[in-house]
Amino acid sequence: MKNISIWQDTVQCDNYAVLEENLDVDVLIIGGGITGCSTFYQFKDDKRKVALVEKNRIGSGASSRSSAKITFLQEDIYTKLTNIFDRDKAYLYYRASKEALKIADDIVSKENIDCDFKRSKSYLYTLDPLNIKKIEKEEKLLSSFGEKTTDIKKLPNGMRVESCFYVNNTYIFHPLKFIREIIKKSISDNHRVYENTKIIKIEKVNDYYKCYTTSNIISAKTVVFALHYPYFLFPYLMPLKCYLEKSFLVCSKVKKEYDFNAINIETPLKSMRYYDNHLLVVSSSCNLAFASNSRKMVKDLEDNTDITNYDYVWSNYDLMTFDHLPLIGFIDDNLILATGYNTWGNSNGILASVIIKDLINNKYNIYKELFDPKRGFNKQKLINYPLNIFSSAYSFIDSKINKNKAFYNGNPYFTKKDGKSIAVYKDDDGVEHIIYNRCPHLKCSLVFNEVEKTWDCPCHGSRFDLDGKCIMGPSNYNISYK
Ligand SMILES: Cc1cc2nc3c(=O)[nH]c(=O)nc-3n(C[C@H](O)[C@H](O)[C@H](O)COP(=O)(O)OP(=O)(O)OC[C@H]3O[C@@H](n4cnc5c(N)ncnc54)[C@H](O)[C@@H]3O)c2cc1C
């Protein structure tokens, strides 16, 4: 069984150089996931100088770990948006999501990109009789938007459901093939990509930004934060405004592959799609604050899905907003943020790229207000603000309690050296791996992810390999013990 995603296992993105000089660019894109790479693509034929920097490898973040659907059927999002705002806002988000699909389709056909991009019907279902009304409500809303929906009682793979409908013309794809190809198509002398290059500090100087890597400075007129979870606190106080959701995904071989994708409306989540004779299932989703026991999460997934025999198991995180809308737009002069996709970042990340280009070009975009990261309070935000502060405090305290040896059966174990907390993990070959057990981002204690053999921060989602290299999340530093 592999602890990487089926996408990471089947595609290697090309290698790009580390930045080894100072740069002067018009646009700097920070982050080489679906958002950053799609934005880079949007500037392909632009005369301005553009650089994309990625702190690890291109496509190594959340984008390489999703279930890779591109769909506008996103649980009961339109009902939720109607409840929080009104039907008009829900409709605008529907339009935006449909547009995202068209942008993706246009890119794939225009550039002739081989990324297993396929049309696939999206199903929304429930297994709980108490949720039938919710399904009906979402379907009614979509019909009122002009979308054709069809009711059914069984999924195409034979799975019985209490209530379900599907929509046509949504997509599934291979996210890393997509990312790899759009980067290849967009690179030129004026448009460069750098890997293993992290931005650790940004300073505003007159009408440009000085962006510091560990050894160089990039001066940029406009900076795009496409880094999933921004490492910085200011100016946007991210840790207070959003929370992270963690889920596990498994892939198991199946005799027959179906070309539909489905998601249910209740907890536990069971989201499905097929790829290359595998069934991919997402389950066990919860707020990161309550997700420190990976072993239990995978056990819950097995219980929820009846899948115990799988070839791949991995986890993914996404940034959730309290009003279910992404954060795409200016957070300061010429400083643009795109994140908060609520687990729908393939479509929203691709859409963000077009919005970002319009913002940079000072061109009107109909979705500018809808996704404005500086949008005001609504009742949902007011309720969730204190809850989020509580869950952050909970995860901080919980990370300390999880240090007891019984939880991990003595491997890893925790101790102190030179006054610093360290953790030691002995692998199957008896080799000891030692790390500093503090996340460099905001100093939370790390918990050990026994399923993927990584050190995970329960507060803001930074993840480190056994030897302390940061492989995901907001931390800009490793925790290797020297
Ligand atoms: C379980 C699960 C299933 C999902 N399935 C779907 C799905 O089916 N469909 C869908 O639409 N969405 C899905 N999503 C959501 C989707 O995976 C994400 O929203 C999306 O991948 C986010 O893309 P991104 O480009 O913003 O982030 P990322 O892919 O994480 O890219 C950000 C990049 O920025 C880099 N970076 C960070 N800090 C710095 C720095 N300081 N300097 C340089 N680089 C930096 C990171 O290394 C990273 O590579 C799912 C999410 C989860 C949790």
PDB file of all heavy atoms in Angstrom, residues 13-41:
ATOM      1  N   CYS A  13       6.234  15.721 -12.323  1.00  0.00           N
ATOM      2  CA  CYS A  13       6.335  17.002 -13.029  1.00  0.00           C
ATOM      3  C   CYS A  13       7.804  17.238 -13.392  1.00  0.00           C
ATOM      4  O   CYS A  13       8.695  16.644 -12.784  1.00  0.00           O
ATOM      5  CB  CYS A  13       5.823  18.135 -12.142  1.00  0.00           C
ATOM      6  SG  CYS A  13       4.021  18.164 -12.059  1.00  0.00           S
ATOM      7  N   ASP A  14       8.041  18.092 -14.387  1.00  0.00           N
ATOM      8  CA  ASP A  14       9.432  18.375 -14.776  1.00  0.00           C
ATOM      9  C   ASP A  14      10.146  19.122 -13.650  1.00  0.00           C
ATOM     10  O   ASP A  14       9.500  19.737 -12.804  1.00  0.00           O
ATOM     11  CB  ASP A  14       9.454  19.233 -16.040  1.00  0.00           C
ATOM     12  CG  ASP A  14       8.785  18.504 -17.192  1.00  0.00           C
ATOM     13  OD1 ASP A  14       8.679  17.269 -17.118  1.00  0.00           O
ATOM     14  OD2 ASP A  14       8.352  19.162 -18.144  1.00  0.00           O
ATOM     15  N   ASN A  15      11.477  19.064 -13.671  1.00  0.00           N
ATOM     16  CA  ASN A  15      12.255  19.796 -12.657  1.00  0.00           C
ATOM     17  C   ASN A  15      12.523  21.222 -13.131  1.00  0.00           C
ATOM     18  O   ASN A  15      12.796  21.450 -14.305  1.00  0.00           O
ATOM     19  CB  ASN A  15      13.621  19.133 -12.454  1.00  0.00           C
ATOM     20  CG  ASN A  15      13.463  17.791 -11.786  1.00  0.00           C
ATOM     21  OD1 ASN A  15      12.673  17.658 -10.855  1.00  0.00           O
ATOM     22  ND2 ASN A  15      14.176  16.800 -12.262  1.00  0.00           N
ATOM     23  N   TYR A  16      12.489  22.148 -12.198  1.00  0.00           N
ATOM     24  CA  TYR A  16      12.837  23.536 -12.505  1.00  0.00           C
ATOM     25  C   TYR A  16      13.918  24.008 -11.542  1.00  0.00           C
ATOM     26  O   TYR A  16      14.020  23.509 -10.420  1.00  0.00           O
ATOM     27  CB  TYR A  16      11.587  24.429 -12.434  1.00  0.00           C
ATOM     28  CG  TYR A  16      10.582  24.035 -13.481  1.00  0.00           C
ATOM     29  CD1 TYR A  16       9.517  23.197 -13.165  1.00  0.00           C
ATOM     30  CD2 TYR A  16      10.745  24.439 -14.799  1.00  0.00           C
ATOM     31  CE1 TYR A  16       8.621  22.786 -14.144  1.00  0.00           C
ATOM     32  CE2 TYR A  16       9.864  24.034 -15.789  1.00  0.00           C
ATOM     33  CZ  TYR A  16       8.799  23.211 -15.458  1.00  0.00           C
ATOM     34  OH  TYR A  16       7.929  22.803 -16.434  1.00  0.00           O
ATOM     35  N   ALA A  17      14.685  24.984 -12.008  1.00  0.00           N
ATOM     36  CA  ALA A  17      15.854  25.436 -11.228  1.00  0.00           C
ATOM     37  C   ALA A  17      15.452  26.189  -9.963  1.00  0.00           C
ATOM     38  O   ALA A  17      14.347  26.728  -9.862  1.00  0.00           O
ATOM     39  CB  ALA A  17      16.700  26.354 -12.110  1.00  0.00           C
ATOM     40  N   VAL A  18      16.403  26.225  -9.036  1.00  0.00           N
ATOM     41  CA  VAL A  18      16.254  27.080  -7.843  1.00  0.00           C
ATOM     42  C   VAL A  18      16.638  28.500  -8.267  1.00  0.00           C
ATOM     43  O   VAL A  18      17.538  28.677  -9.091  1.00  0.00           O
ATOM     44  CB  VAL A  18      17.245  26.604  -6.749  1.00  0.00           C
ATOM     45  CG1 VAL A  18      17.142  27.471  -5.502  1.00  0.00           C
ATOM     46  CG2 VAL A  18      17.042  25.143  -6.418  1.00  0.00           C
ATOM     47  N   LEU A  19      15.986  29.504  -7.707  1.00  0.00           N
ATOM     48  CA  LEU A  19      16.361  30.885  -8.039  1.00  0.00           C
ATOM     49  C   LEU A  19      17.713  31.196  -7.406  1.00  0.00           C
ATOM     50  O   LEU A  19      17.894  31.039  -6.197  1.00  0.00           O
ATOM     51  CB  LEU A  19      15.296  31.856  -7.507  1.00  0.00           C
ATOM     52  CG  LEU A  19      15.590  33.335  -7.758  1.00  0.00           C
ATOM     53  CD1 LEU A  19      15.467  33.671  -9.250  1.00  0.00           C
ATOM     54  CD2 LEU A  19      14.640  34.221  -6.960  1.00  0.00           C
ATOM     55  N   GLU A  20      18.660  31.649  -8.231  1.00  0.00           N
ATOM     56  CA  GLU A  20      19.997  31.934  -7.692  1.00  0.00           C
ATOM     57  C   GLU A  20      20.468  33.344  -8.012  1.00  0.00           C
ATOM     58  O   GLU A  20      21.664  33.630  -8.053  1.00  0.00           O
ATOM     59  CB  GLU A  20      21.003  30.902  -8.218  1.00  0.00           C
ATOM     60  CG  GLU A  20      20.854  29.601  -7.452  1.00  0.00           C
ATOM     61  CD  GLU A  20      21.694  28.478  -7.984  1.00  0.00           C
ATOM     62  OE1 GLU A  20      22.171  28.593  -9.129  1.00  0.00           O
ATOM     63  OE2 GLU A  20      21.851  27.488  -7.254  1.00  0.00           O
ATOM     64  N   GLU A  21      19.513  34.230  -8.300  1.00  0.00           N
ATOM     65  CA  GLU A  21      19.876  35.630  -8.585  1.00  0.00           C
ATOM     66  C   GLU A  21      18.720  36.517  -8.140  1.00  0.00           C
ATOM     67  O   GLU A  21      17.612  36.017  -7.896  1.00  0.00           O
ATOM     68  CB  GLU A  21      20.108  35.811 -10.099  1.00  0.00           C
ATOM     69  CG  GLU A  21      18.872  35.414 -10.879  1.00  0.00           C
ATOM     70  CD  GLU A  21      19.025  35.494 -12.390  1.00  0.00           C
ATOM     71  OE1 GLU A  21      20.037  35.998 -12.868  1.00  0.00           O
ATOM     72  OE2 GLU A  21      18.092  35.068 -13.075  1.00  0.00           O
ATOM     73  N   ASN A  22      18.979  37.813  -8.049  1.00  0.00           N
ATOM     74  CA  ASN A  22      17.876  38.733  -7.779  1.00  0.00           C
ATOM     75  C   ASN A  22      17.076  38.907  -9.060  1.00  0.00           C
ATOM     76  O   ASN A  22      17.624  38.823 -10.162  1.00  0.00           O
ATOM     77  CB  ASN A  22      18.406  40.087  -7.321  1.00  0.00           C
ATOM     78  CG  ASN A  22      19.038  39.980  -5.948  1.00  0.00           C
ATOM     79  OD1 ASN A  22      18.787  39.013  -5.213  1.00  0.00           O
ATOM     80  ND2 ASN A  22      19.848  40.952  -5.599  1.00  0.00           N
ATOM     81  N   LEU A  23      15.772  39.147  -8.896  1.00  0.00           N
ATOM     82  CA  LEU A  23      14.916  39.279 -10.084  1.00  0.00           C
ATOM     83  C   LEU A  23      14.087  40.551  -9.986  1.00  0.00           C
ATOM     84  O   LEU A  23      13.754  40.993  -8.888  1.00  0.00           O
ATOM     85  CB  LEU A  23      13.912  38.137 -10.135  1.00  0.00           C
ATOM     86  CG  LEU A  23      14.236  36.790 -10.751  1.00  0.00           C
ATOM     87  CD1 LEU A  23      12.950  35.978 -10.819  1.00  0.00           C
ATOM     88  CD2 LEU A  23      14.829  36.935 -12.134  1.00  0.00           C
ATOM     89  N   ASP A  24      13.712  41.048 -11.142  1.00  0.00           N
ATOM     90  CA  ASP A  24      12.830  42.203 -11.230  1.00  0.00           C
ATOM     91  C   ASP A  24      11.694  41.793 -12.159  1.00  0.00           C
ATOM     92  O   ASP A  24      11.952  41.499 -13.333  1.00  0.00           O
ATOM     93  CB  ASP A  24      13.645  43.339 -11.886  1.00  0.00           C
ATOM     94  CG  ASP A  24      13.181  44.657 -11.397  1.00  0.00           C
ATOM     95  OD1 ASP A  24      12.019  44.733 -10.988  1.00  0.00           O
ATOM     96  OD2 ASP A  24      13.990  45.619 -11.431  1.00  0.00           O
ATOM     97  N   VAL A  25      10.473  41.691 -11.644  1.00  0.00           N
ATOM     98  CA  VAL A  25       9.378  41.219 -12.506  1.00  0.00           C
ATOM     99  C   VAL A  25       8.147  42.115 -12.368  1.00  0.00           C
ATOM    100  O   VAL A  25       8.024  42.877 -11.405  1.00  0.00           O
ATOM    101  CB  VAL A  25       8.969  39.760 -12.151  1.00  0.00           C
ATOM    102  CG1 VAL A  25      10.085  38.785 -12.430  1.00  0.00           C
ATOM    103  CG2 VAL A  25       8.496  39.649 -10.700  1.00  0.00           C
ATOM    104  N   ASP A  26       7.255  41.966 -13.332  1.00  0.00           N
ATOM    105  CA  ASP A  26       5.978  42.690 -13.210  1.00  0.00           C
ATOM    106  C   ASP A  26       5.043  41.935 -12.273  1.00  0.00           C
ATOM    107  O   ASP A  26       4.389  42.527 -11.437  1.00  0.00           O
ATOM    108  CB  ASP A  26       5.337  42.831 -14.600  1.00  0.00           C
ATOM    109  CG  ASP A  26       6.168  43.708 -15.498  1.00  0.00           C
ATOM    110  OD1 ASP A  26       6.286  44.903 -15.187  1.00  0.00           O
ATOM    111  OD2 ASP A  26       6.746  43.196 -16.476  1.00  0.00           O
ATOM    112  N   VAL A  27       4.986  40.627 -12.459  1.00  0.00           N
ATOM    113  CA  VAL A  27       4.081  39.821 -11.629  1.00  0.00           C
ATOM    114  C   VAL A  27       4.858  38.659 -11.024  1.00  0.00           C
ATOM    115  O   VAL A  27       5.506  37.888 -11.742  1.00  0.00           O
ATOM    116  CB  VAL A  27       2.915  39.256 -12.483  1.00  0.00           C
ATOM    117  CG1 VAL A  27       1.961  38.435 -11.607  1.00  0.00           C
ATOM    118  CG2 VAL A  27       2.154  40.375 -13.182  1.00  0.00           C
ATOM    119  N   LEU A  28       4.750  38.532  -9.703  1.00  0.00           N
ATOM    120  CA  LEU A  28       5.325  37.361  -9.031  1.00  0.00           C
ATOM    121  C   LEU A  28       4.173  36.514  -8.512  1.00  0.00           C
ATOM    122  O   LEU A  28       3.310  36.997  -7.766  1.00  0.00           O
ATOM    123  CB  LEU A  28       6.215  37.788  -7.854  1.00  0.00           C
ATOM    124  CG  LEU A  28       6.688  36.617  -6.977  1.00  0.00           C
ATOM    125  CD1 LEU A  28       7.636  35.701  -7.753  1.00  0.00           C
ATOM    126  CD2 LEU A  28       7.364  37.114  -5.707  1.00  0.00           C
ATOM    127  N   ILE A  29       4.166  35.244  -8.918  1.00  0.00           N
ATOM    128  CA  ILE A  29       3.143  34.306  -8.426  1.00  0.00           C
ATOM    129  C   ILE A  29       3.823  33.393  -7.418  1.00  0.00           C
ATOM    130  O   ILE A  29       4.816  32.725  -7.751  1.00  0.00           O
ATOM    131  CB  ILE A  29       2.568  33.471  -9.590  1.00  0.00           C
ATOM    132  CG1 ILE A  29       1.931  34.392 -10.638  1.00  0.00           C
ATOM    133  CG2 ILE A  29       1.548  32.460  -9.081  1.00  0.00           C
ATOM    134  CD1 ILE A  29       1.698  33.721 -11.984  1.00  0.00           C
ATOM    135  N   ILE A  30       3.307  33.364  -6.186  1.00  0.00           N
ATOM    136  CA  ILE A  30       3.914  32.499  -5.168  1.00  0.00           C
ATOM    137  C   ILE A  30       3.029  31.273  -5.000  1.00  0.00           C
ATOM    138  O   ILE A  30       1.875  31.387  -4.568  1.00  0.00           O
ATOM    139  CB  ILE A  30       4.062  33.228  -3.816  1.00  0.00           C
ATOM    140  CG1 ILE A  30       4.736  34.586  -4.008  1.00  0.00           C
ATOM    141  CG2 ILE A  30       4.848  32.375  -2.836  1.00  0.00           C
ATOM    142  CD1 ILE A  30       4.783  35.420  -2.737  1.00  0.00           C
ATOM    143  N   GLY A  31       3.566  30.099  -5.350  1.00  0.00           N
ATOM    144  CA  GLY A  31       2.811  28.857  -5.188  1.00  0.00           C
ATOM    145  C   GLY A  31       2.562  28.170  -6.508  1.00  0.00           C
ATOM    146  O   GLY A  31       1.965  28.758  -7.411  1.00  0.00           O
ATOM    147  N   GLY A  32       3.037  26.932  -6.610  1.00  0.00           N
ATOM    148  CA  GLY A  32       2.903  26.181  -7.861  1.00  0.00           C
ATOM    149  C   GLY A  32       1.869  25.083  -7.778  1.00  0.00           C
ATOM    150  O   GLY A  32       2.120  23.947  -8.168  1.00  0.00           O
ATOM    151  N   GLY A  33       0.669  25.415  -7.255  1.00  0.00           N
ATOM    152  CA  GLY A  33      -0.460  24.477  -7.296  1.00  0.00           C
ATOM    153  C   GLY A  33      -1.357  24.833  -8.462  1.00  0.00           C
ATOM    154  O   GLY A  33      -0.946  25.574  -9.372  1.00  0.00           O
ATOM    155  N   ILE A  34      -2.590  24.365  -8.406  1.00  0.00           N
ATOM    156  CA  ILE A  34      -3.480  24.607  -9.552  1.00  0.00           C
ATOM    157  C   ILE A  34      -3.759  26.107  -9.724  1.00  0.00           C
ATOM    158  O   ILE A  34      -3.848  26.603 -10.845  1.00  0.00           O
ATOM    159  CB  ILE A  34      -4.790  23.787  -9.435  1.00  0.00           C
ATOM    160  CG1 ILE A  34      -5.509  23.768 -10.765  1.00  0.00           C
ATOM    161  CG2 ILE A  34      -5.714  24.307  -8.352  1.00  0.00           C
ATOM    162  CD1 ILE A  34      -6.025  22.436 -11.157  1.00  0.00           C
ATOM    163  N   THR A  35      -3.806  26.849  -8.611  1.00  0.00           N
ATOM    164  CA  THR A  35      -4.081  28.286  -8.713  1.00  0.00           C
ATOM    165  C   THR A  35      -2.902  29.013  -9.356  1.00  0.00           C
ATOM    166  O   THR A  35      -3.065  29.768 -10.318  1.00  0.00           O
ATOM    167  CB  THR A  35      -4.313  28.897  -7.308  1.00  0.00           C
ATOM    168  OG1 THR A  35      -5.297  28.116  -6.644  1.00  0.00           O
ATOM    169  CG2 THR A  35      -4.751  30.331  -7.379  1.00  0.00           C
ATOM    170  N   GLY A  36      -1.703  28.774  -8.796  1.00  0.00           N
ATOM    171  CA  GLY A  36      -0.521  29.473  -9.290  1.00  0.00           C
ATOM    172  C   GLY A  36      -0.221  29.113 -10.734  1.00  0.00           C
ATOM    173  O   GLY A  36       0.077  29.988 -11.564  1.00  0.00           O
ATOM    174  N   CYS A  37      -0.310  27.821 -11.059  1.00  0.00           N
ATOM    175  CA  CYS A  37       0.040  27.387 -12.423  1.00  0.00           C
ATOM    176  C   CYS A  37      -0.989  27.890 -13.429  1.00  0.00           C
ATOM    177  O   CYS A  37      -0.639  28.290 -14.545  1.00  0.00           O
ATOM    178  CB  CYS A  37       0.180  25.866 -12.484  1.00  0.00           C
ATOM    179  SG  CYS A  37       1.541  25.287 -11.454  1.00  0.00           S
ATOM    180  N   SER A  38      -2.281  27.866 -13.046  1.00  0.00           N
ATOM    181  CA  SER A  38      -3.300  28.387 -13.967  1.00  0.00           C
ATOM    182  C   SER A  38      -3.107  29.888 -14.169  1.00  0.00           C
ATOM    183  O   SER A  38      -3.294  30.401 -15.278  1.00  0.00           O
ATOM    184  CB  SER A  38      -4.709  28.139 -13.418  1.00  0.00           C
ATOM    185  OG  SER A  38      -4.914  26.790 -13.175  1.00  0.00           O
ATOM    186  N   THR A  39      -2.723  30.591 -13.112  1.00  0.00           N
ATOM    187  CA  THR A  39      -2.493  32.037 -13.242  1.00  0.00           C
ATOM    188  C   THR A  39      -1.293  32.288 -14.161  1.00  0.00           C
ATOM    189  O   THR A  39      -1.317  33.163 -15.032  1.00  0.00           O
ATOM    190  CB  THR A  39      -2.262  32.672 -11.853  1.00  0.00           C
ATOM    191  OG1 THR A  39      -3.362  32.328 -11.019  1.00  0.00           O
ATOM    192  CG2 THR A  39      -2.141  34.176 -11.927  1.00  0.00           C
ATOM    193  N   PHE A  40      -0.246  31.493 -13.958  1.00  0.00           N
ATOM    194  CA  PHE A  40       0.944  31.595 -14.819  1.00  0.00           C
ATOM    195  C   PHE A  40       0.532  31.398 -16.283  1.00  0.00           C
ATOM    196  O   PHE A  40       0.964  32.131 -17.176  1.00  0.00           O
ATOM    197  CB  PHE A  40       1.948  30.527 -14.373  1.00  0.00           C
ATOM    198  CG  PHE A  40       3.301  30.639 -14.998  1.00  0.00           C
ATOM    199  CD1 PHE A  40       4.130  31.711 -14.721  1.00  0.00           C
ATOM    200  CD2 PHE A  40       3.756  29.652 -15.863  1.00  0.00           C
ATOM    201  CE1 PHE A  40       5.395  31.805 -15.302  1.00  0.00           C
ATOM    202  CE2 PHE A  40       5.016  29.731 -16.439  1.00  0.00           C
ATOM    203  CZ  PHE A  40       5.830  30.819 -16.160  1.00  0.00           C
ATOM    204  N   TYR A  41      -0.350  30.418 -16.511  1.00  0.00           N
ATOM    205  CA  TYR A  41      -0.812  30.139 -17.874  1.00  0.00           C
ATOM    206  C   TYR A  41      -1.538  31.360 -18.476  1.00  0.00           C
ATOM    207  O   TYR A  41      -1.361  31.676 -19.654  1.00  0.00           O
ATOM    208  CB  TYR A  41      -1.740  28.915 -17.875  1.00  0.00           C
ATOM    209  CG  TYR A  41      -2.434  28.720 -19.200  1.00  0.00           C
ATOM    210  CD1 TYR A  41      -1.772  28.119 -20.270  1.00  0.00           C
ATOM    211  CD2 TYR A  41      -3.734  29.181 -19.402  1.00  0.00           C
ATOM    212  CE1 TYR A  41      -2.387  27.975 -21.500  1.00  0.00           C
ATOM    213  CE2 TYR A  41      -4.362  29.049 -20.624  1.00  0.00           C
ATOM    214  CZ  TYR A  41      -3.677  28.446 -21.671  1.00  0.00           C
ATOM    215  OH  TYR A  41      -4.292  28.321 -22.893  1.00  0.00           O
TER     216      TYR A  41
END
